[in-house]
């Protein structure tokens, strides 16, 4: 990685928690200048606009989130174990976060819904990625004799993802994970119902 690429990456990494916490509209170039200690020319020498920074920041956060998901589930060899590893991770929310400021899918998704079609598309792709990973975990369990063959992995993936995102929102607003723990227990129960 050359000097220009390193500077660009540094700006992205420093801007990520700002956009995730303060939002796109709430984050000014002056905030990025302050966080990076770079001059305005240092920012615009690497990015043509704030919009370009936002898109690159979301790509960076999305890759961090995907990496984290793979890391959390890699510790287990069974599908049930992978789900339990995920549930253990989510039970610690909002304390354990890869990028400060809460869930980037919620933060960027709500803001981009009506104002930024490009960013909305990126958020949609991340949502579908998460759902596909959950569906693959169910399919993996079906292939290995852990789950009933007639369990619809796509419907469960949509349900699980949506329940977790709702619990993340409520946990963030209330500042505790009581609702998250109830959601995780409901998901565990459904997994048990389909286990062999």
């Amino acid at each position: 990685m050359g000097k220009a690429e390193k500077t660009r990456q540094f700006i992205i990494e420093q801007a990520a928690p700002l956009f995730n916490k303060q939002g796109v509209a709430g984050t000014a170039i002056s905030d990025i200048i302050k966080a990076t200690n770079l001059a305005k020319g240092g920012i615009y020498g690497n990015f043509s606009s704030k919009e370009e920074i936002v898109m690159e920041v979301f790509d960076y956060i999305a890759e961090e989130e995907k990496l984290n998901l793979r890391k959390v589930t890699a510790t287990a060899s069974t599908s049930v174990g992978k789900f339990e590893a995920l549930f253990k991770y989510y039970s610690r929310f909002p304390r354990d976060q890869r990028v400060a400021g809460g869930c980037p899918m919620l933060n960027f998704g709500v803001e981009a819904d009506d104002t930024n079609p490009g960013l909305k598309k990126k958020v949609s792709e991340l949502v579908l990625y998460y759902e596909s990973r959950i569906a693959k975990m169910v399919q993996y369990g079906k292939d290995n004799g852990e789950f009933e063959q007639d369990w619809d992995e796509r419907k469960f993936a949509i349900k699980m993802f949506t329940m977790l995102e709702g619990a993340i929102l409520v946990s963030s607003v209330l500042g505790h994970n009581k609702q998250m723990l109830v959601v995780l227990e409901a998901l565990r129960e459904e997994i048990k119902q389909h286990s062999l």
Side-chain angles (χ1 to χ4, degrees):
M1 192 182 280
K3 186 179 177 186
E5 290 170 315
K6 284 181 183 175
T7 303
R8 190 175 169 90
Q9 186 61 31
F10 173 71
I11 294 167
I12 290 167
E13 289 173 8
Q14 298 305 306
L18 296 175
F19 284 119
N20 201 38
K21 279 186 201 174
Q22 299 169 192
V24 174
T27 302
I29 291 297
S30 60
D31 296 320
I32 299 169
I33 290 169
K34 186 176 177 184
T36 60
N37 276 331
L38 294 171
K40 193 173 188 179
I43 303 295
Y44 284 116
N46 288 281
F47 295 94
S48 62
S49 65
K50 178 180 161 182
E51 174 70 14
E52 185 184 0
I53 300 171
V54 169
M55 300 301 257
E56 292 287 329
V57 160
F58 189 80
D59 287 343
Y60 164 74
I61 291 174
E63 288 309 310
E64 287 291 303
E65 292 290 311
K66 290 176 186 178
L67 176 66
N68 188 50
L69 179 63
R70 289 191 296 268
K71 205 164 136 182
V72 167
T73 57
T75 59
S77 59
T78 65
S79 187
V80 171
K82 289 179 186 298
F83 277 115
E84 196 49 48
L86 265 182
F87 296 159
K88 185 177 176 187
Y89 171 76
Y90 279 103
S91 72
R92 295 188 300 265
F93 193 89
R95 284 186 321 230
D96 288 358
Q97 297 174 343
R98 299 281 294 170
V99 178
C103 176
M105 284 179 280
L106 285 171
N107 295 341
F108 284 84
V110 169
E111 193 167 3
D113 185 34
D114 296 318
T115 60
N116 189 325
L119 186 57
K120 182 179 179 180
K121 182 177 184 290
K122 286 180 179 286
V123 176
S124 299
E125 288 167 357
L126 187 56
V127 168
L128 296 175
Y129 173 83
Y130 265 76
E131 288 180 357
S132 73
R133 291 288 299 187
I134 295 166
K136 285 177 186 173
M137 286 167 55
V138 172
Q139 187 59 54
Y140 178 76
K142 286 162 72 170
D143 294 344
N144 290 310
E146 295 176 70
F147 301 136
E148 298 167 343
Q149 289 300 312
D150 64 350
W151 191 16
D152 189 329
E153 66 272 6
R154 289 168 306 181
K155 282 185 181 176
F156 178 72
I158 292 168
K159 182 190 293 186
M160 178 174 159
F161 177 80
T162 305
M163 288 172 71
L164 287 174
E165 283 300 298
I168 287 169
L169 173 64
V170 174
S171 296
S172 296
V173 170
L174 297 180
H176 60 72
N177 69 346
K178 184 177 176 182
Q179 284 81 0
M180 175 64 80
L181 296 177
V182 171
V183 163
L184 293 175
E185 192 53 41
L187 292 169
R188 281 188 182 102
E189 282 301 314
E190 183 160 354
I191 288 169
K192 278 182 198 170
Q193 288 170 11
H194 294 282
S195 294
L196 296 172

